[in-house]
Amino acid sequence: MAASFERFLGAQFESRPDGIFMHLAQYVRGVLERFGMTDCRPASSSGASKDKHRGEEPDETLLRADTQLYQQITGATMYASTTARLDLAHAVNMLARRMSVPRVCDMMAARRVLRYLSGTVSLGLLFRYARDPIHPSLSAYADADWAADEVGRRSTSGYVVLYNGTPIAWHSGLQSIVALSTCESEYIALAECAREISYLRTVVAFLRREDPNPTEVFEDNQGTIQLVENPVHHKRSKHIEVRWHYIRLAQQTGIVKVTKVHTDDNRADIFTKSTPAMVFRRHVSALMFLP
């Protein structure tokens, strides 16, 4: 009789008729109980949209409040966001940026993440047995939010890589340089995504077989796609660092194929900014599974 695989590094695995379901329900319940948020009112998304933030954020730092508590909440949710809860990636990344000197509004944002978790305890990833009819192998979505950082004016990159329609890698974080345009920020995000795909293709080739076809990467900026295919705007792109041109090489050598997708269908949108609740739920429903 084969032994069942139920837990690994805090994650739980359940065998279902249609696939293997990976979730963090027990871990999430423990986090909510630890911070006294078990019976809180659930939030509709992990982060408030920009419109809700505008004019409502007190700038005072946490003087009397417990800064250590904020850091503990951030650390606990960060583990979840890197394990199976990709829906927390952007919100937790925003919390981590204020770890040293958190403000009152940052603590409000941290508690909002916990409130969101209380309503989505069992949300996870379903690795289906059946072959995905649209994306049977690796595929990815990439996006960027230009100059999102109000202090350093750096952009936020986001991408998610799927295998057989299920996310296996994702990222949300500030870019290392200041992009001078939306096109450039999206170009950098594509380069970061291409590097991850290059690594994952070697893993897939080792576990199964090498895929002769390029991995499709969906991007919603037409100018960026043209820049990948052909250096058309030399005056606008000649200053871009050499390492970001890896995406161009990856396309030329057949590692990736950048494809246009409508902005509304770009799943990486939730990794770059706080979106309205309806948009957030639509993308999360497409990427994750709730039994």
Side-chain angles (χ1 to χ4, degrees):
M1 182 177 180
S4 60
F5 179 63
E6 297 180 352
R7 298 179 187 276
F8 183 73
L9 296 177
Q12 296 171 254
F13 297 84
E14 297 179 7
S15 180
R16 297 171 50 88
D18 51 348
I20 297 176
F21 179 49
M22 175 183 177
H23 62 91
L24 299 171
Q26 185 175 2
Y27 176 80
V28 170
R29 292 191 186 97
V31 170
L32 294 174
E33 183 177 354
R34 175 185 175 188
F35 298 111
M37 300 288 285
T38 304
D39 299 322
C40 64
R41 179 171 60 89
S44 57
S45 62
S46 58
S49 64
K50 291 182 178 180
D51 292 336
K52 290 185 178 180
H53 278 310
R54 196 166 297 160
E56 299 180 4
E57 292 191 350
D59 290 331
E60 59 266 24
T61 58
L62 293 175
L63 299 178
R64 290 178 295 178
D66 193 355
T67 300
Q68 186 177 8
L69 175 62
Y70 175 85
Q71 295 170 343
Q72 290 173 350
I73 294 175
T74 303
T77 53
M78 185 178 295
Y79 175 78
S81 71
T82 57
T83 306
R85 295 301 301 264
L86 58 89
D87 51 327
L88 305 179
H90 179 261
V92 173
N93 177 259
M94 295 297 292
L95 297 180
R97 298 180 192 182
R98 301 293 306 184
M99 283 282 277
S100 58
V101 188
R103 301 164 297 178
V104 173
C105 60
D106 298 321
M107 178 61 83
M108 294 168 57
R111 294 193 180 278
R112 181 185 175 89
V113 173
L114 295 179
R115 288 174 48 216
Y116 170 72
L117 281 175
S118 70
T120 57
V121 173
S122 300
L123 192 64
L125 303 174
L126 179 62
F127 298 91
R128 293 177 174 82
Y129 297 133
R131 184 182 178 90
D132 188 273
I134 303 176
H135 306 297
S137 187
L138 286 173
S139 61
Y141 294 86
D143 198 10
D145 189 18
W146 180 51
D149 181 29
E150 295 181 357
V151 179
R153 307 307 293 173
R154 288 188 291 169
S155 305
T156 301
S157 287
Y159 64 77
V160 56
V161 184
L162 302 89
Y163 185 79
N164 197 38
T166 301
I168 60 172
W170 53 88
H171 168 75
S172 174
L174 281 176
Q175 295 179 357
S176 59
I177 65 171
V178 177
L180 302 184
S181 64
T182 301
C183 179
E184 183 180 341
S185 66
E186 301 265 1
Y187 191 75
I188 294 172
L190 275 177
E192 294 174 342
C193 182
R195 289 187 298 180
E196 183 71 16
I197 289 173
S198 180
Y199 161 71
L200 291 174
R201 284 175 65 92
T202 62
V203 175
V204 171
F206 174 77
L207 295 177
R208 299 188 64 182
R209 61 180 177 81
E210 186 173 356
D211 189 355
N213 301 315
T215 299
E216 200 165 21
V217 182
F218 296 98
E219 164 64 40
D220 58 12
N221 189 295
Q222 187 62 49
T224 303
I225 296 175
Q226 293 176 352
L227 188 59
V228 172
E229 295 175 347
N230 182 35
V232 287
H233 304 297
H234 179 65
K235 290 184 179 180
R236 297 181 183 180
S237 61
K238 63 182 180 180
H239 66 280
I240 298 177
E241 294 183 22
V242 174
R243 58 175 172 163
W244 304 122
H245 292 302
Y246 175 75
I247 178 60
R248 191 178 295 166
L249 175 65
Q251 171 133 315
Q252 292 174 352
T253 55
I255 297 176
V256 302
K257 177 185 178 183
V258 183
T259 303
K260 180 71 168 67
V261 67
H262 194 277
T263 301
D264 294 342
D265 297 323
N266 193 342
R267 307 303 179 198
D269 193 32
I270 60 174
F271 296 92
T272 62
K273 55 184 172 291
S274 296
T275 58
M278 185 178 297
V279 176
F280 180 82
R281 288 195 298 266
R282 176 163 54 83
H283 288 311
V284 170
S285 298
L287 294 171
M288 304 184 71
F289 177 78
L290 185 64

